[in-house]
Amino acid sequence: KSGENTTMKIQVSIIVPVYNCEKYIETLMKDIAKQSFEQYEVILIDDGSTDKSGEICDHFCAKNSKFKVYHLKNGGVSQARNKGILKAKGQYIRFLDADDRIPSDSLERMIKCAEASKAELVIGKFFGKRSVAIRANRNSRQAKVVFRLFKICI
């Protein structure tokens, strides 16, 4: 799980835009590193952070070969995600925000769901405090459309 085996086929590219998130980016990186599914890479895009976020990413990447960081001038979250897509090697792409938390079986469950249902898109529920918000909003008109169009897994 520490990323020593770099010859393993990458199935999932996890893209994380990073901007001034020194208080929580390391927590997310630790969550990702604990995944039970190990065929992944992590692409951290430092979008011109003015705090220590970039340094924290550099330090973590030096210890785990599955993690790579790219430093850009600030161009916004869309530019950061697009850069990540260009660097991605996986069959699947997963977007996470720097302040997200994920359970240790998150990737495994999403891959199983995608493969079992032959889905092109898998949407997971929020983990932690945010789960309350999605449950409360399930009855909204916009949420009904999303829940009808895509199979919700996890």
Side-chain angles (χ1 to χ4, degrees), residues 1 12 34-40 94 103-115 154:
K1 291 185 183 179
V12 182
K34 293 177 186 174
Q35 291 300 296
S36 56
F37 183 86
E38 296 185 359
Q39 297 171 324
Y40 67 87
R94 179 164 188 190
S104 61
D105 64 346
S106 177
L107 287 178
E108 182 178 356
R109 291 170 66 192
M110 291 187 95
I111 290 293
K112 283 181 181 177
C113 177
E115 291 176 350
I154 299 180

Side-chain angles (χ1 to χ4, degrees), residues 2 5 19 21-23 27 35 42 56 60 63-64 78 94-95 111 124-125 131 138 142 149 152:
S2 61
N5 185 355
Y19 182 74
C21 54
E22 67 184 3
K23 293 180 181 175
T27 301
Q35 291 300 296
V42 181
I56 294 167
F60 200 91
K63 294 189 285 184
N64 190 319
S78 295
R94 179 164 188 190
F95 294 102
I111 290 293
K125 292 180 184 175
S131 61
R138 272 203 176 154
Q142 184 179 16
L149 290 176
I152 308 298

Side-chain angles (χ1 to χ4, degrees), residues 62-81:
K63 294 189 285 184
N64 190 319
S65 63
K66 290 184 179 189
F67 288 71
K68 304 281 187 250
V69 63
Y70 299 92
H71 300 277
L72 308 176
K73 290 182 181 177
N74 183 259
V77 69
S78 295
Q79 177 182 307
R81 286 190 177 125

Side-chain angles (χ1 to χ4, degrees), residues 12-86:
V12 182
S13 295
I14 302 170
I15 299 170
V16 182
V18 175
Y19 182 74
N20 290 350
C21 54
E22 67 184 3
K23 293 180 181 175
Y24 37 80
I25 186 62
E26 189 168 13
T27 301
L28 173 63
M29 292 187 292
K30 287 178 180 178
D31 280 355
I32 296 169
K34 293 177 186 174
Q35 291 300 296
S36 56
F37 183 86
E38 296 185 359
Q39 297 171 324
Y40 67 87
E41 67 176 344
V42 181
I43 302 165
L44 303 163
I45 307 295
D46 175 21
D47 190 31
S49 294
T50 57
D51 65 1
K52 295 185 188 252
S53 300
E55 294 172 38
I56 294 167
C57 292
D58 289 336
H59 182 71
F60 200 91
C61 291
K63 294 189 285 184
N64 190 319
S65 63
K66 290 184 179 189
F67 288 71
K68 304 281 187 250
V69 63
Y70 299 92
H71 300 277
L72 308 176
K73 290 182 181 177
N74 183 259
V77 69
S78 295
Q79 177 182 307
R81 286 190 177 125
N82 288 336
K83 177 73 168 183
I85 291 169
L86 292 174

